[in-house]
Amino acid sequence: MWMSLHWGRYRAARLSVLLIAIIFSVAVVSYFATSLVRSSEVNHTVDLLSENHQTALAKHARNASLGFGEIVYISMPGRTDRQDAMNMLAWFSGLTMKLVPGVDGTVVPPKAIPDSAPKDIPASVLGCFRAHANAWQYLLQTNMDTLLIFEDDLDWGPNIKDTMERLSLQMQNSKIRLEPPSDYERKNAPYGLDWDVLYVGSYKHGGNPDLKDFVQTWDDPDVPGLKGVSGMGKGGILYALRLAGLSDPEIEAKRMLTPSYTTEKNTAYAITRRGAARLLFLLSYIGDLKAGDVDQDMTRLFIEGRLKGYTLTPPAFTQFKVGGTKDSDNIKLGKTVNGKGNLKGKSLYIKGSARRLMVQRLKVNNWNDYKTITNPETTS
Ligand SMILES: *[C@@H]1O[C@H](CO)[C@@H](O)[C@H](O)[C@H]1NC(C)=O
Ligand SMILES: *[C@@H]1O[C@H](CO)[C@@H](O)[C@H](O)[C@H]1NC(C)=O
């Protein structure tokens, strides 16, 4: 009796201690669990600012569209020779790109020609504008943030993906943008979205002379150096680098980003959705295509401050020239480089050449390779 009473009390006491312990540990565990969840939620913002996140986003610049939504290239339907080359080059560099067909200006009806266009605008110039405008339209028909637009005679450095990854890191930490990036940009946009146009392949540059401090430079071992950027005189690449205050040793080692001012040639440029809409607005909707040459009109719009862009100098992409009339769709076929196709072509302002390396990769001496296997002694 005494024993059972004693044990009963003892058990009750033990049970309540146990109960308190359980309640206490549940409380402790849930406190830590919720604070864990809370900190991982809250620190999403911190994550977006972290070096790890930025490095990971910059890796998108190495993907098959170089961190843009897609790559398209503009080519006259008849220039299958150039289309062949662009597809080979895409294969070589691990890129995918879609064709935006060039436009024959004679099929643009007079009512569709922008109001300010010169009365005597050549069909080829009008067609060129229209093809670029069709690429701008194309971006707006998708849900992508950006589009990289190429012409069809390109070359680029063999390490193009390194160059673009570095550019992404710089643009994520831009010192020359007007407002800090939104969370959406930090999460999704390797190059930010605070621009209409991002020139990565223009061959004549000049920054705004009134804004010489708005320059960002960084080390890039893949720049072509002083010799590689010479030529073109005023307005050339070297001129732009010096105008921005770079010394000769810096020109050997650095790439630079500036707000776009004077540019030339739409060899390679990216657009954002707002950029696409703004370009269509300016050059088609209100018809302000005064020069007719779309690249010259874009330069004018930058200078007037009605279009917002950044220019990469030296450019990452450049024209590949074979040195004959095949270099232009606007000149009748005359002198060509007979027999060797593109082999004698050249490109300026890049270090190395994806085209040249591609040619090396494609050369094979198949039966010779078999011989070295069947008679291994011939190799030594
Ligand atoms: C997480 O990030 C937010 C926003 O930057 C900050 O206010 C908060 O203190 C951070 N929390 C922790 C637990 O680090
Ligand atoms: C490359 O990265 C960009 C940015 O994240 C993305 O929008 C695009 O879809 C990616 N392209 C490919 C082919 O994965």
Side-chain angles (χ1 to χ4, degrees), residues 35 38-39 42-46 49:
S35 72
R38 200 180 302 131
S39 74
V42 171
N43 285 315
H44 217 56
T45 350
V46 172
L49 291 170

Side-chain angles (χ1 to χ4, degrees), residues 7 14 20 26 54 71 105 113 118 127 134 201 258 290 325 330 351 370 376:
W7 274 111
R14 222 169 55 161
I20 289 167
V26 164
Q54 295 193 342
I71 306 175
I113 299 175
N134 288 350
T258 48
K290 284 202 188 77
T325 48
N330 307 334
K351 181 176 175 181
Y370 275 96

